Amino acid sequence: MATYEYRCPDCGRFDMHLPIGTAAAAYECPACHRPSRRVFSSPYLSRVSSVVAAGLTREEQSREAPEVVTSVPPKRRRQPPPHPALPRLPRP
């Protein structure tokens, strides 16, 4: 199954899951039943979070111009988060 995107003039964009190669140029909107035109878009670009999109952009840029590292970064010690029950314990 593939995801095809359509745009209704009244309701906006919606996705349809159809077998590969069976998408029509127009499809009926599930909300208002008007004919909607198929929209060709890049896959998954509108469906990823900003963090993932930033990581993908950085990865693509590193293919052409990788970052040059001159030394090993210092190791940071991470403190574990305090246990939520600790504030409720009796204090001496």
Side-chain angles (χ1 to χ4, degrees):
M1 296 295 266
T3 303
Y4 295 97
E5 189 174 352
Y6 290 87
R7 179 181 297 161
C8 174
D10 291 338
C11 305
R13 292 181 182 227
F14 63 93
D15 294 336
M16 294 301 300
H17 300 286
L18 303 168
I20 294 175
T22 62
Y27 201 83
E28 185 179 283
C29 176
C32 67
H33 305 290
R34 290 188 61 190
S36 305
R37 295 188 57 185
R38 184 172 170 197
V39 177
F40 292 93
S41 60
S42 300
Y44 300 108
L45 291 181
S46 62
R47 294 173 182 89
V48 296
S49 68
S50 61
V51 175
V52 173
L56 290 172
T57 302
R58 184 174 179 186
E59 187 270 333
E60 289 176 3
Q61 290 173 349
S62 70
R63 292 179 195 169
E64 301 296 325
E67 295 178 12
V68 178
V69 179
T70 57
S71 64
V72 178
K75 188 173 182 177
R76 296 187 302 180
R77 292 190 70 199
R78 295 183 68 191
Q79 295 290 336
H83 194 276
L86 287 178
R88 295 190 308 260
L89 292 176
R91 300 283 177 218

